[in-house]
Amino acid sequence: MEKREQLYEGKAKKVYATDDENLVIVSYKDDATAFDGLKKGTIAGKGVVNNKMSNYIMQLLEKNGVPTHFVQELSDRETLVKKVKIVPLEVIIRNISAGSFAKRFGVEEGIVFAEPTIEFSYKNDDLHDPLMNAYHAIALGVATREEIETIKAMAFKVNSVMKEYFLTLGVKLVDFKLEFGKTPDGTIVLADEISPDTCRFWDAETNEKLDKDRFRRDLGNVEDAYAEMMRRVFGA
Ligand code: ADP
Ligand code: UDP
């Protein structure tokens, strides 16, 4: 596999073409942003943690019947994935109230929901990723009704697999963001990443935050939190 030109540089990853038009290489950076890009920083070693954790989880999900973009880990920071057309929706699942949910509805963080919730944001930086419901997405041609139904079913399946898995590591899966993409034949697969950047993880005993909230909220020990999640997934 030959790495070719850079196709895209995002906030946390770069994407490179390869000599296979159906495959791209994602390269994970240590750069971190929050609050719509207003807060910027670096988290040393984050790229390695996110790459390896994301790949581990994607393979776990594949074993559980969820199709993903994962093909092969190439190095600590680089992974070969299927090139997909990203459906421009951020799909957010919540098990426990936190973040923008707690703010929007004026409730405290930590309310354990009887059932998980799902919401969509329109992935559009110029518009600051506005909340979007399924009808809006269908009306605007962002996705078809069938694609929305597939995405919803896959997102809840991802939640049940991940929730159970992280609990075995002594971690509560509070909420997370997923992105889905379409392969050339129209199949919907899970894409992007699953990591402490995109999930809220709380220690099951102490509720200590082990995710990007440590960066967002200046809680300190940011690198330690990422390293701790790495240790729980892969052992010491
Ligand atoms: P952002 O674009 O939000 O700054 P990143 O820095 O993570 O985010 O950039 C990675 C980009 O690659 C994102 O836009 C993401 O949607 C896209 N992407 C993720 N997986 C794939 C894939 N398999 N094929 C094509 N693009 C992908
Ligand atoms: N999230 C993400 N990218 C985004 C927005 C949210 O990965 O652009 C994740 C975030 O890490 C959290 C979940 O989605 O696990 C829910 O985030 P929320 O809506 O509470 O927003 P935030 O508090 O991050 O602004």
Side-chain angles (χ1 to χ4, degrees):
M1 183 53 50
E2 196 185 312
K3 186 169 159 186
R4 298 247 170 108
E5 77 277 10
Q6 183 179 305
L7 298 175
Y8 177 79
E9 174 158 12
K11 297 182 283 287
K13 302 190 283 304
K14 296 180 185 181
V15 181
Y16 295 91
T18 68
D19 52 6
D20 183 332
E21 61 176 1
N22 293 316
L23 300 174
V24 292
I25 293 171
V26 291
S27 180
Y28 286 73
K29 307 189 287 183
D30 286 350
D31 298 350
T33 64
F35 310 121
D36 213 12
L38 286 176
K39 184 179 171 80
K40 292 190 177 70
T42 57
I43 301 171
K46 169 172 87 79
V48 177
V49 173
N50 288 8
N51 182 42
K52 290 185 167 286
M53 188 188 296
S54 193
N55 291 341
Y56 184 89
I57 301 294
M58 295 255 180
Q59 289 173 89
L60 175 70
L61 291 168
E62 289 272 1
K63 276 187 219 136
N64 283 274
V66 179
T68 78
H69 71 166
F70 177 80
V71 176
Q72 190 194 345
E73 189 168 291
L74 301 175
S75 68
D76 275 1
R77 289 177 184 272
E78 294 199 327
T79 295
L80 189 64
V81 300
K82 290 174 196 152
K83 182 179 189 173
V84 297
K85 245 182 106 104
I86 294 288
V87 177
L89 291 174
E90 299 203 330
V91 180
I92 293 172
I93 297 273
R94 302 177 190 272
N95 296 304
I96 299 175
S97 66
S100 71
F101 181 98
K103 203 169 169 204
R104 175 173 304 119
F105 299 116
V107 296
E108 73 271 30
E109 297 197 311
I111 302 166
V112 180
F113 303 144
E115 285 184 39
T117 69
I118 189 164
E119 73 214 36
F120 304 117
S121 292
Y122 183 35
K123 217 174 123 64
N124 183 313
D125 282 339
D126 294 338
L127 299 175
H128 313 288
D129 300 342
L131 206 60
M132 175 177 261
N133 73 27
Y135 293 93
H136 301 153
I138 295 163
L140 293 173
V142 166
T144 66
R145 182 189 301 270
E146 291 70 31
E147 286 166 355
I148 296 278
E149 288 311 316
T150 302
I151 286 170
K152 272 163 66 173
M154 282 172 67
F156 283 122
K157 175 73 185 180
V158 168
N159 184 49
S160 56
V161 173
M162 289 209 327
K163 206 178 139 184
E164 187 184 346
Y165 169 67
F166 281 110
L167 212 48
T168 68
L169 308 181
V171 171
K172 293 180 193 169
L173 179 62
V174 175
D175 58 28
F176 56 94
K177 182 267 297 178
L178 301 175
E179 293 183 26
F180 293 87
K182 267 198 282 185
T183 61
D185 72 2
T187 307
I188 300 271
V189 301
L190 180 64
D192 204 51
E193 68 175 278
I194 295 177
S195 71
D197 271 18
T198 64
C199 305
R200 285 195 170 93
F201 296 126
W202 292 357
D203 180 86
E205 298 295 323
T206 65
N207 283 339
E208 184 191 1
K209 296 185 197 319
L210 298 171
D211 57 60
K212 196 174 158 187
D213 270 348
R214 301 205 71 85
F215 169 78
R216 294 189 189 97
R217 304 178 186 191
D218 295 318
L219 298 176
N221 301 325
V222 184
E223 280 85 1
D224 295 347
Y226 281 75
E228 175 63 15
M229 283 308 301
M230 184 81 158
R231 197 188 62 72
R232 296 219 189 172
V233 173
F234 293 104

